Amino acid sequence: MNPVGVDIRHVALSFGATQVLKDISVSVEPGEFFALLGPSGSGKSTLLRLIAGFNQHQAGEVLIGGRDVTGTPPWKRDVGMVFQNYALWPHMTVEQNVAFGLEERRLPRAQVREKVAAALDLVGLAGYGARRPGQLSGGQQQRVAIARTLAIEPQVLLLDEPLSNLDARLRVQTRQELVKLQRRLGITTIFVTHDQIEALTTCHRVAVMDEGVIQQVGTPMELFDFPVNRFVAQFVGSVNLFAGRFEREGGALRFASEKLGRVALPAGVEPPAGEHDLAFRPHAVSVVDAAGPEALSLRGAVENAEFLGEFLRYEIRVGAGLVIADIPHARGRAPIAPGTAISLAIPASELRFVAA
């Protein structure tokens, strides 16, 4: 089966007086692993259920493979959905759970057995068919739910927070298995999550949502390196973010902030027009003896240090603000003591100016 694309065009959806989705437009490419990322209440699960046909929009279009499925019931959309709680029937065996959708389509019994065996083998559960869900681990139950969905050979696979019920170690393992499976099948997949790590490590592209609006769409690196506004900068990764204004003084450019005070920006840096915040990532901060003209120079005192294995995360008081710095750890090196005055440098290339 050739993969198909999904196009959302100017979709709006309200529950009563509450507008949940506001003029949503986004395209998912055929065979793409695409994430809808956002906090609780951002509208991401509502959008996924709308694609599946469980929600109905009041405006706009939903196209699957170029076909407008607005008003088409879920069972005629040729999509498969894996729910957050897996939705397995505890009284049925694994084989019976996986066979359910096939039997509903009234396929011949021999064909059902063949497809069930193929689906279980695909997710690494061959030989588990006679067990019941209660005899499986959380990760195995999740794979049964995926096998049941893949058995009907949908054009689009929809995943609603599929890893949220797993413990941390199993979540990483299952996430990696899911990526390998999607890459192998090439099926168009839309994955809902509130966990930025899950989105950034699994998907080709990510749509960041907040308050029913898509804030930005891009590859994981694009979102991390070039956030378009304050929300995306803060939601995708850790960030130092300071509100202020830009001032010119004798040809030099300064950033005036209530938190940082007035700091000189590196030569060659030109902020965009309009009001923007100054942003830089903690890993871009270095502790130096003195910063050169090609870097933003800050002076502060260490307030706190956390040892996180590969690096130490410092909180440094700069003026009235706190700067977070992730400094690589070297074996045997003691952390900088609280109260120590230090100089910081942030390369000009790591500075970002994001819309407030």
Side-chain angles (χ1 to χ4, degrees):
M1 181 183 295
N2 293 325
V4 300
V6 177
D7 292 295
I8 312 297
R9 298 178 180 174
H10 302 290
V11 159
L13 183 150
S14 297
F15 295 136
T18 304
Q19 192 171 10
V20 182
L21 299 177
K22 306 169 186 176
D23 194 24
I24 296 287
S25 291
V26 66
S27 293
V28 180
E29 299 296 324
E32 188 173 27
F33 201 157
F34 191 89
L36 299 174
L37 171 68
S40 297
S42 61
K44 57 189 186 299
S45 289
T46 300
L47 180 56
L48 192 78
R49 293 178 64 84
L50 187 149
I51 296 169
F54 299 123
N55 290 330
Q56 292 299 320
H57 48 289
Q58 287 87 33
E61 298 176 313
V62 176
L63 287 79
I64 298 176
R67 178 173 65 98
D68 188 356
V69 296
T70 302
T72 304
W75 56 91
K76 291 186 177 181
R77 293 196 177 196
D78 207 6
V79 303
M81 187 160 177
V82 177
F83 297 92
Q84 183 175 348
N85 62 357
Y86 315 141
L88 301 177
W89 285 277
H91 64 285
M92 293 184 179
T93 65
V94 167
E95 282 184 346
Q96 290 169 335
N97 268 281
V98 176
F100 183 82
L102 300 168
E103 291 172 345
E104 287 292 300
R105 287 162 173 75
R106 306 196 184 286
L107 295 180
R109 188 168 299 178
Q111 192 175 356
V112 170
R113 285 198 298 268
E114 179 182 329
K115 288 182 177 294
V116 168
L120 288 175
D121 184 61
L122 194 61
V123 299
L125 290 178
Y128 285 73
R131 301 189 189 186
R132 298 189 187 277
Q135 297 173 298
L136 304 178
S137 68
Q140 290 170 334
Q141 290 183 47
Q142 192 249 22
R143 282 188 275 164
V144 173
I146 292 173
R148 180 181 59 189
T149 302
L150 293 177
I152 64 172
E153 299 178 351
Q155 288 186 310
V156 179
L157 177 63
L158 306 177
L159 305 171
D160 189 9
E161 303 263 15
L163 309 178
S164 61
N165 291 332
L166 306 179
D167 63 49
R169 182 189 60 80
L170 191 56
R171 189 180 301 126
V172 172
Q173 176 186 334
T174 309
R175 182 179 77 212
Q176 293 170 343
E177 292 173 352
L178 191 59
V179 170
K180 292 176 183 177
L181 179 63
Q182 194 278 336
R183 301 291 193 269
R184 186 160 75 247
L185 295 177
I187 186 173
T188 306
T189 303
I190 304 176
F191 175 47
V192 158
T193 180
H194 64 273
D195 187 319
Q196 56 168 292
I197 300 300
E198 288 181 2
L200 300 184
T201 55
T202 59
C203 296
H204 298 110
R205 288 190 304 145
V206 179
V208 181
M209 296 187 65
D210 186 44
E211 297 184 345
V213 175
I214 291 181
Q215 303 290 326
Q216 186 175 355
V217 179
T219 66
M221 285 188 181
E222 287 170 346
L223 296 175
F224 188 85
D225 289 342
F226 304 101
V228 296
N229 59 32
R230 172 182 281 266
F231 177 81
V232 177
Q234 291 178 314
F235 196 77
V236 180
S238 302
V239 69
N240 293 290
L241 194 62
F242 299 98
R245 64 186 184 279
F246 302 99
E247 301 176 345
R248 291 202 178 272
E249 184 177 287
L253 184 65
R254 294 182 180 275
F255 181 73
S257 163
E258 288 186 8
K259 298 291 187 181
L260 296 180
R262 297 175 74 247
V263 296
L265 293 175
V269 170
E270 284 295 331
E275 292 189 7
H276 287 75
D277 294 340
L278 173 65
F280 50 92
R281 300 291 184 183
H283 75 270
V285 183
S286 299
V287 178
V288 296
D289 293 327
E294 71 286 351
L296 174 66
S297 177
L298 301 174
R299 182 77 179 167
V302 173
E303 284 206 354
N304 187 46
E306 289 183 302
F307 177 58
L308 299 177
E310 292 87 356
F311 61 90
L312 286 104
R313 173 160 291 179
Y314 290 96
E315 292 181 351
I316 300 137
R317 178 66 61 183
V318 178
L322 274 179
V323 171
I324 307 301
D326 290 343
I327 307 300
H329 170 63
R331 187 175 62 173
R333 181 194 295 168
I336 303 171
T340 303
I342 57 174
S343 294
L344 306 175
I346 303 95
S349 60
E350 294 291 342
L351 299 179
R352 295 288 175 264
F353 303 99
V354 298

